[in-house]
Amino acid sequence: MAIPVIGSLNGVTDAGWTDYAKGMEEAGAAAIELNVYMLPADIHTTSAEVEQRYLDILAKVRETVSIPVAMKLSPFFSATANMAERLVAAGADGLVLFNRLYQPDLDLDQLSVNPSLTYSSPAEIRLPLLWIAVLHGRLNTSLAATTGVDSHLQVVKYLLAGADAVQTTSALLRHGSRHLRVLREGLERWLEEREYPSVAKLKGAMSQRNVADPEAYERANYLQTLLSYHAPHAA
Ligand SMILES: Cc1cc2nc3c(=O)[nH]c(=O)nc-3n(C[C@H](O)[C@H](O)[C@H](O)COP(=O)(O)O)c2cc1C
């Protein structure tokens, strides 16, 4: 079976984005993922400028290659859904939700900034899960989920929310590449036990559009969520 290879690119300059994208296409990539990883730390850079940078990079790469192009997004836009829509309008064939920003820690012994890379945990699926559920069926693009996959359970949840593809990095680094088979077999077992005939039937079944209570994904549920909290040691 031929496995499509998707090139993931994180450029800096315009030429860097386009030259490497072209190189990936020529090398046989089936698609390109643009990882626009930037921390808008400059106090004079506006959100509009940051958003435009994403759109400009996409437009430049779109002009350069003819294979599908996906954008890997930051989770921290003011208007995530609108940004997603604008990227799709500008030609994004896929959106990858989300980039996981590296958050440095402080080493209190050395009094140094410690930019160590930690593996994700399943608890981290919630933010991408929420946005995939909200965006599923609303945009003419593919949605890929990334962050927090460790077992097939997170794969199932992402698919139910509406992901077209699910990515995993930490789990493969933690358990080795054979873990892919564990994920796949776990998913197959789960589908069989619940009598789902296919992944297609699962996909988006619990997206915001398809659940009985769409508000459960939004603020209307906020108060209810707070009220449902019970302190672990409450009398
Ligand atoms: C060692 C390591 C290297 C990574 N390198 C890249 C990279 O080159 N490009 C990229 O887009 N993401 C990179 N990532 C981020 C992952 O693609 C992914 O977004 C993040 O790890 C969250 O997914 P996970 O929970 O499956 O690990 C890297 C992550 C790790 C742990």
Side-chain angles (χ1 to χ4, degrees):
M1 182 174 54
I3 298 180
V5 175
I6 300 174
S8 179
L9 174 56
N10 170 229
V12 178
T13 60
D14 285 354
W17 285 105
T18 52
D19 292 354
Y20 281 103
K22 188 85 204 141
M24 284 178 173
E25 181 176 45
E26 283 165 6
I32 291 176
E33 174 193 88
L34 302 179
N35 172 11
V36 188
Y37 185 99
M38 58 177 162
L39 191 72
D42 180 340
I43 61 168
H44 301 295
T45 303
T46 66
S47 49
E49 285 166 344
V50 172
E51 292 170 8
Q52 195 56 47
R53 180 82 188 126
Y54 274 75
L55 293 162
D56 290 346
I57 291 166
L58 173 64
K60 286 209 157 52
V61 174
R62 254 289 47 116
E63 274 168 22
T64 313
V65 299
S66 48
I67 51 178
V69 177
M71 295 293 279
K72 188 170 183 178
L73 305 184
S74 157
F76 302 122
F77 290 105
S78 309
T80 302
N82 174 256
M83 188 64 209
E85 195 279 327
R86 287 163 66 202
L87 286 163
V88 174
D93 302 287
L95 300 177
V96 182
L97 310 182
F98 288 113
N99 233 326
R100 183 168 177 255
L101 295 184
Y102 299 122
Q103 299 165 28
D105 199 0
L106 296 187
D107 183 322
L108 294 182
D109 292 324
Q110 305 290 328
L111 288 186
S112 60
V113 180
N114 185 1
S116 70
L117 215 157
T118 54
Y119 294 153
S120 67
S121 76
E124 292 177 57
I125 74 166
R126 289 180 173 211
L127 188 62
L129 188 77
L130 167 64
W131 280 107
I132 285 169
V134 168
L135 294 178
H136 174 79
R138 298 202 159 108
L139 298 169
N140 185 22
T141 197
S142 301
L143 298 174
T146 169
T147 300
V149 170
D150 194 53
S151 78
H152 68 283
L153 297 177
Q154 291 82 49
V155 177
V156 169
K157 287 181 186 180
Y158 274 139
L159 290 170
L160 279 169
D164 297 288
V166 178
Q167 301 184 352
T168 177
T169 305
S170 296
L172 299 188
L173 292 172
R174 204 184 274 126
H175 307 294
S177 58
R178 282 164 193 258
H179 192 63
L180 272 180
R181 179 187 290 265
V182 175
L183 295 177
R184 195 194 158 114
E185 288 175 354
L187 173 62
E188 281 168 4
R189 239 185 0 261
W190 197 94
L191 290 171
E192 224 172 272
E193 282 166 13
R194 277 138 186 106
E195 300 183 352
Y196 274 92
S198 65
V199 169
K201 284 276 177 240
L202 191 69
K203 216 167 73 180
M206 291 190 69
S207 70
Q208 190 180 31
R209 290 179 119 196
N210 290 336
V211 288
D213 177 17
E215 301 238 309
Y217 280 112
E218 289 192 41
R219 175 160 162 83
N221 207 37
Y222 184 60
L223 255 185
Q224 211 181 320
T225 308
L226 293 182
L227 290 171
S228 72
Y229 174 76
H230 297 289
H233 301 299

